[in-house]
Amino acid sequence: MITVTCIAPVNIAVIKYWGKRDEDLILPLNDSVSATLSTDHLCTKTTISTCASFTENRIVLNGKTESFENPRLLRCLQEIKKRVASSESGKKDILNWKVHVQTENNFPTAAGLASSASGYACLVYTLAHLYGIEKDEISSIARQGSGSACRSLYGGFVQWRKGDLLDGSDSIAVQLTAHDIWPEMRIVILVVNDTRKKTSSTSGMSTSVKTSKLLKYRTESCVPKHTRVLVTALNNKDFQTFGRITMQDSNQFHAVCLDTYPPCVYMNDVSHEIVNMVHQFNDLKNEIRVAYTFDAGPNACLYLLEKDVPELLAVVNRVFPNDKLGSPEYIKGISVDVNDLPEASESFSPNQNNLIKYIINTKVGEGPKRVI
Ligand code: DP6
């Protein structure tokens, strides 16, 4: 029996992927850019075993056995096997053996954080190690599990190039910057209490492609420009421009969601309160110190520099008072002494208690790795 265990990170887009030109191959309408988060705080861990005596493929997700008859899962396995068959180094002799996959996230699925990106990245990365092709370009395979998964195969800031070819072979992720190029960058995730049932990204973006005229304008005219400006800002460590483009791109993505018919409403009242809080914070500083971005849900991902974390958390605690403040369960990730935070300005108005479930304080990370 051969067994391999790997971990893979979550990524948070600053230029959003929204809309496919090919639903089957998962080819996007536009480029996207994300930061890969540290696996210390958020990651998927996957163990895959293969053995001549296994009689069927199996997958256990967070302790629950799931069907292997999932087209995206089967596609990833099939594409990896094709790659092994045509490679010189791959272990072709074990290709016919069945696999047992066991995968879990170290963050609650209920947090509403995209687990498909780290999940499919981890699956494909672990399979690549199992069959001995780990150095090959595998992001185009992870992309066929979930589009955003291709970006989780690299550390630092990553661009998913949409590509132009019909077969999707040029729709791949590339690393823009190493994880330690901008070491002061921090990501603070505000997990918002929310019980509404929401439309999945896959079905939401499919409806947007069919019905939103704004999406066409976004993908053709805005994203190429946003991407160019953002990549230059990253290379110059220019937080002002990075923060502005990040917020504008998130706002435009949610405008497209509202322009979709029927509309996809992902942000809630608390999300909008967070937007107001961030603008008020930046106005008081006369410059952009914090940038928000929201995916297909109400949680906020805030990008900021390490030096501004204590003041931002002081403001979050004033605007969103919480009974659990001070418990390690409330602020997770990089540790923060809540008794040592500065005073927040009284110009910030408090909301009712406990609108935020918990906070994750994390940073940019190195990408997936093999652990066993
Ligand atoms: C809003 O990658 O989950 O998070 O390709 O259909 O699996 P599928 O969609 P998915 O969409 C992610 C959308 C997003 C933006 C982003 O991560 O770029």
Side-chain angles (χ1 to χ4, degrees):
M1 180 155 87
I2 306 172
T3 300
V4 173
T5 301
C6 299
I7 53 172
V10 166
N11 72 75
I12 303 288
V14 290
I15 305 279
K16 304 294 187 195
Y17 146 55
W18 196 252
K20 298 180 182 72
R21 63 176 199 278
D22 183 321
E23 296 218 2
D24 194 35
L25 290 172
I26 311 199
L27 299 178
L29 286 169
N30 60 268
D31 283 23
S32 53
V33 177
S34 56
T36 291
L37 304 189
S38 166
T39 47
D40 293 348
H41 312 124
L42 296 166
C43 76
T44 297
K45 185 176 186 181
T46 300
T47 298
I48 308 184
S49 303
T50 190
C51 182
S53 64
F54 286 175
T55 53
E56 54 172 16
N57 289 326
R58 269 192 214 156
I59 182 160
V60 179
L61 247 168
N62 292 320
K64 197 170 154 255
T65 302
E66 303 278 342
S67 162
F68 217 95
E69 295 308 307
N70 164 342
R72 290 180 171 204
L73 174 63
L74 291 172
R75 171 74 70 94
C76 287
L77 184 60
Q78 175 199 326
E79 290 299 313
I80 282 278
K81 289 190 170 186
K82 263 200 228 161
R83 197 68 72 83
V84 177
S86 63
S87 81
E88 283 183 5
S89 61
K91 296 178 190 150
K92 299 183 188 60
D93 48 325
I94 59 168
L95 274 185
N96 289 331
W97 296 0
K98 302 290 181 195
V99 291
H100 287 182
V101 180
Q102 195 190 335
T103 185
E104 55 200 43
N105 301 324
N106 73 348
F107 54 94
T109 319
L113 298 163
S115 54
S116 62
S118 55
Y120 276 105
C122 209
L123 174 85
V124 168
Y125 188 79
T126 311
L127 284 171
H129 276 267
L130 187 77
Y131 295 119
I133 55 157
E134 70 266 31
K135 285 189 182 64
D136 300 22
E137 203 298 305
I138 51 171
S139 74
S140 60
I141 301 179
R143 188 201 75 225
Q144 297 176 61
S146 180
S148 54
C150 71
R151 298 187 309 239
S152 276
L153 284 168
Y154 298 95
F157 279 87
V158 181
Q159 179 170 4
W160 173 12
R161 300 210 172 122
K162 71 178 183 66
D164 299 305
L165 300 175
L166 281 179
D167 70 357
S169 55
D170 59 346
S171 186
I172 57 169
V174 290
Q175 187 179 49
L176 290 173
T177 68
H179 76 283
D180 51 0
I181 286 289
W182 204 349
E184 308 84 4
M185 186 66 89
R186 291 289 176 273
I187 296 99
V188 170
I189 304 173
L190 306 182
V191 179
V192 167
N193 269 315
D194 191 63
T195 48
R196 288 176 311 162
K197 191 173 164 354
K198 66 174 177 74
T199 317
S200 73
S201 300
T202 308
S203 92
M205 71 174 85
S206 164
T207 316
S208 295
V209 173
K210 288 184 203 115
T211 62
S212 169
K213 295 191 180 65
L214 186 52
L215 179 65
K216 191 170 155 57
Y217 173 65
R218 166 175 164 76
T219 56
E220 289 174 7
S221 304
C222 303
V223 173
K225 198 166 155 219
H226 277 176
T227 306
R228 270 196 306 276
V229 177
L230 187 116
V231 170
T232 309
L234 280 176
N235 289 329
N236 296 336
K237 293 175 55 171
D238 165 6
F239 193 85
Q240 291 302 297
T241 310
F242 168 82
R244 179 175 55 79
I245 297 288
T246 295
M247 292 188 279
Q248 288 177 332
D249 196 80
S250 173
N251 291 341
Q252 187 181 62
F253 153 53
H254 288 278
V256 165
C257 291
L258 292 183
D259 186 46
T260 298
Y261 188 81
C264 303
V265 182
Y266 291 123
M267 292 168 69
N268 67 13
D269 288 351
V270 179
S271 317
H272 290 288
E273 282 294 326
I274 296 168
V275 168
N276 291 341
M277 176 191 74
V278 169
H279 284 293
Q280 190 182 342
F281 188 94
N282 290 336
D283 286 349
L284 281 175
K285 300 287 175 197
N286 276 318
E287 61 175 8
I288 296 172
R289 296 279 187 94
V290 183
Y292 52 77
T293 184
F294 295 84
D295 280 339
N299 300 331
C301 292
L302 306 180
Y303 279 86
L304 71 166
L305 300 181
E306 186 180 14
K307 68 176 172 55
D308 293 315
V309 170
E311 209 174 332
L312 184 265
L313 288 177
V315 168
V316 170
N317 293 340
R318 178 171 169 86
V319 177
F320 299 102
N322 202 293
D323 299 344
K324 285 189 296 187
L325 182 66
S327 111
E329 289 306 300
Y330 186 58
I331 305 184
K332 302 169 197 270
I334 301 170
S335 80
V336 183
D337 183 355
V338 287
N339 298 313
D340 203 25
L341 298 179
E343 275 297 303
S345 157
E346 292 193 356
S347 60
F348 289 97
S349 315
N351 285 283
Q352 69 188 73
N353 281 25
N354 307 331
L355 294 178
I356 289 181
K357 212 187 284 178
Y358 59 86
I359 297 172
I360 306 166
N361 178 25
T362 188
K363 59 184 181 175
V364 179
E366 286 173 75
K369 59 174 185 250
R370 179 172 179 174
V371 289
I372 303 172

